[in-house]
Structures are given as structure tokens and as C-alpha cells.
Amino acid sequence: MAQIEVVELTKKYAIADQTITAVDGVSLIIEKGEFVSVVGHSGSGKTTLLSIIGGIMKPTSGRVLFDGQDICGLDDDRLSEYRNEQVGFMFQFASLLPMLTAAENVMLPGLFRKSRNARDGAKTKDLLQMVGIGEKYDAYPSQLSGGQQRRVAIARALMYDPRVILADEPTGDLDEETENDIMELFKKLNREKQITFIFITHNLELAGMAQRTLKMIHGNLYET
């Protein structure tokens, strides 16, 4: 059984007197532990597709199966559990809360979980150490470089052992050296922890680091 199966997925928006089709009948199978990049021009539907797979957005039609279960049919509570327990999100910007320390930002998703773990503090230290900024545990975002903020966001996404990471331009605001460091970290996590990665990028060189590259054009998805 595929870990993620997208079946005839369509998403349409009504804007003024027009209907915009962002995702147009896309079907896709992703196996556990795959490392997949998605490329395409702005407005091609990449972010919409990722948002639907992550349970952030509902499709107009079609299905997204995760371990055989259609997440599009889940009620709000169960969909929240899916987002919180199965998926880690990384967005174009680190989006850290400025009034919280690095450690507090990493533990933030725990506020939305039904139960807290007494080891969350220790695990946060381990994660920050793993992403290379263990000494920044008590630092605030204003005291961190862009690359360090990105590493905090990665630790946050990994805090509750997601099985899938969905990343939308996760290195877009970084210099080339830091960008390569982050991608190597992603590949290590994919290889050692068997986390499935699906990431959007405009950078064809980064896309080539994936095991598999997909291209979106006008809401349609193609293998490259």
C-alpha cells in the first residue's frame, strides 16, 4: 500500500466572475521514505497541492489517501490529529514567534496536542543539537541568523516524529551554502529516519537532489 495516494484531485476557486482551476485532476502515488521535489512556475498549483495533501485545504473533488484512509472525509478533529501527528510542515519563511525562545518555538505544536510528554524539554535539546544549534536553546529569533531560524523551524517540524515532511520553498531565503547544508540535513533525515519528504522549490539544482522530481504546469502534474 502506498503511503500517500492522490486520486483525481481538483481544486477550483471562484474569483469575481471567473473560476480558477489550481489543481486539475492530479493523481499521484508516493511510497514511504521517498524524497520528492515539485517544481513549477508561481501559480502552477504546487502550494495548493501540498496544502491539500497536508490537510490544510479541502479539494473541490478527488481524494487523498494516507495509509489507505481518505483524509478528505475526516471531520475537523480527526483532520487536526492527522496534521499534528502525521505531518511536519515547513514553509518559505521560518515563521518563529518573536516572543518565544528557540526551544519554546520548537515545543509550540505541543500546545495543540491532547497530551504533553514530560520529555519534551529533553527532546527539544536533542533536536536543536541535531540541527546544529544546540547552544541556541534559550536564544530569541532576533538573536538568530536566517539559517539558524530555519534550523529551529526544522526542529519544530520534527518534534513529534512526523512520518511525512511537507516543505514549501524551505530554503528560499537562505544563502547558497546554508541552503546546501539544510538540504543535506533533509537527505540525512530521509535516509536515517525514513521520513517521506515532499518539497517545493524553484531551484532546479536543489530539485535534482531528490530521488524523484515532479513538475506542475497549469494545475497538471508531470513526472520529469
Side-chain angles (χ1 to χ4, degrees):
M1 182 185 297
Q3 186 176 50
I4 298 170
E5 184 174 1
V6 175
V7 183
E8 290 295 322
L9 201 67
T10 296
K11 180 64 178 181
K12 297 183 178 183
Y13 299 97
I15 301 178
D17 59 347
Q18 291 186 315
T19 298
I20 306 298
T21 302
V23 177
D24 191 6
V26 165
S27 293
L28 170 67
I29 290 177
I30 295 178
E31 303 291 347
K32 180 183 182 335
E34 278 202 87
F35 194 72
V36 180
S37 62
V38 183
V39 299
H41 293 298
S42 295
S44 61
K46 307 182 302 297
T47 296
T48 300
L49 176 62
L50 213 66
S51 297
I52 295 172
I53 291 174
I56 295 174
M57 183 183 296
K58 293 272 191 177
T60 303
S61 62
R63 297 184 297 159
V64 175
L65 306 178
F66 186 85
D67 286 346
Q69 181 179 47
D70 185 4
I71 68 165
C72 301
L74 298 178
D75 61 30
D76 289 344
D77 287 344
R78 293 180 68 197
L79 195 57
S80 293
E81 288 179 8
Y82 165 74
R83 289 192 298 261
N84 201 246
E85 296 175 4
Q86 304 292 348
V87 183
F89 295 96
M90 297 179 193
F91 301 105
Q92 185 171 2
F93 302 102
S95 302
L96 305 182
L97 294 184
M99 73 291 296
L100 300 181
T101 65
E104 290 166 341
N105 269 286
V106 171
M107 289 186 279
L108 189 61
L111 297 177
F112 304 98
R113 296 176 70 87
K114 290 181 178 178
S115 60
R116 301 290 298 277
N117 192 315
R119 292 197 68 256
D120 280 359
K123 185 172 183 180
T124 297
K125 286 184 179 180
D126 291 343
L127 284 171
L128 288 173
Q129 190 69 40
M130 184 186 73
V131 300
I133 53 169
E135 77 283 2
K136 300 296 184 180
Y137 186 89
D138 292 318
Y140 289 91
S142 62
Q143 300 170 311
L144 302 174
S145 68
Q148 289 170 337
Q149 290 187 37
R150 176 66 60 197
R151 291 169 190 268
V152 173
I154 292 169
R156 180 177 60 195
L158 295 170
M159 181 65 187
Y160 293 103
D161 301 314
R163 298 172 60 202
V164 176
I165 293 287
L166 302 178
D168 190 351
E169 295 284 358
T171 63
D173 58 341
L174 302 178
D175 62 76
E176 185 175 353
E177 182 178 355
T178 306
E179 188 175 57
N180 288 331
D181 287 346
I182 296 298
M183 287 303 298
E184 287 300 326
L185 176 58
F186 287 172
K187 289 171 67 177
K188 179 180 179 182
L189 292 167
N190 169 254
R191 183 176 61 251
E192 295 181 358
K193 294 183 176 292
Q194 280 293 291
I195 299 172
T196 303
F197 273 79
I198 308 173
F199 73 97
I200 290 172
T201 181
H202 283 90
N203 187 321
L204 295 181
E205 185 176 343
L206 291 185
M209 296 175 72
Q211 299 166 338
R212 178 182 175 199
T213 299
L214 307 171
K215 186 171 186 178
M216 284 205 81
I217 303 174
H218 302 305
N220 296 288
L221 191 67
Y222 303 91
E223 296 274 355
T224 63

